[in-house]
Amino acid sequence: MIRYLLYLLALYLSLPFNNTVEVALMILFFVIIKEDPRFALIFAFTVGLLTDLYYPIRLGASTIVYITLTQLLLYLKRFLVLNPPTTIATFTVLYLVKTAALNIFVAAHIDAVRIILTILIFPPIAFLLDRIGFGIWMKKQ
């Protein structure tokens, strides 16, 4: 239960930075990979709704794209071997598909710096969420 609150708190705190780096998508990807599929779908709806409310230019588009991509990734998760290179490649593909889908719904220019920065910042964020969310940093050796 505390992990779910941690995800919601991290999502809420990341919304102002979502215009520069897609931290909300990183948190959503982590939830899709590590948590229950039902919670992942509910969380995808929450991420999309909060993103739509925070950036009202594309009202409704983010919710549809996030839920669709979450369902697709939940289906494909069975076929993935989850090691760091595969996880980073999967996130990169997910992010590029999300960017393309949102640019189809809302005509906006594609910012290459934002894409590269988001992909480069994903591994430390995923590592941090893994350590904090699952309490690995508290275990004694």
Side-chain angles (χ1 to χ4, degrees):
M1 183 67 180
I2 293 178
R3 286 195 318 248
Y4 299 152
L5 293 175
L6 173 75
Y7 297 142
L8 290 173
L9 179 68
L11 171 66
Y12 181 73
L13 293 176
S14 70
L15 282 176
F17 305 110
N18 210 26
N19 204 13
T20 306
V21 176
E22 290 276 341
V23 181
L25 184 66
M26 293 178 202
I27 297 168
L28 176 62
F29 180 79
F30 184 80
V31 167
I32 293 169
I33 295 298
K34 299 285 184 175
E35 296 295 338
D36 182 50
R38 290 174 295 206
F39 176 71
L41 281 171
I42 293 168
F43 192 73
F45 176 76
T46 306
V47 170
L49 183 65
L50 288 177
T51 304
D52 285 336
L53 292 176
Y54 198 80
Y55 302 106
I57 294 172
R58 51 185 179 209
L59 194 57
S62 294
T63 305
I64 293 170
V65 169
Y66 283 140
I67 289 175
T68 306
L69 289 178
T70 299
Q71 188 64 37
L72 178 69
L73 191 59
L74 284 172
Y75 175 73
L76 294 176
K77 186 171 82 168
R78 296 182 270 180
F79 306 111
L80 293 175
V81 176
L82 294 176
N83 55 17
T86 308
T87 305
I88 293 170
T90 306
F91 174 76
T92 304
V93 169
L94 178 79
Y95 180 59
L96 293 176
V97 168
K98 180 227 146 225
T99 303
L102 280 179
N103 283 325
I104 289 172
F105 282 131
V106 180
H109 74 287
I110 296 175
D111 190 11
V113 174
R114 180 179 177 193
I115 292 172
I116 293 170
L117 194 60
T118 300
I119 293 169
L120 289 177
I121 290 178
F122 170 69
I125 297 286
F127 179 75
L128 184 68
L129 282 172
D130 192 39
R131 296 290 184 234
I132 292 174
F134 289 99
I136 297 172
W137 60 278
M138 296 188 318
K139 291 183 182 176
K140 302 258 180 179
Q141 304 236 357

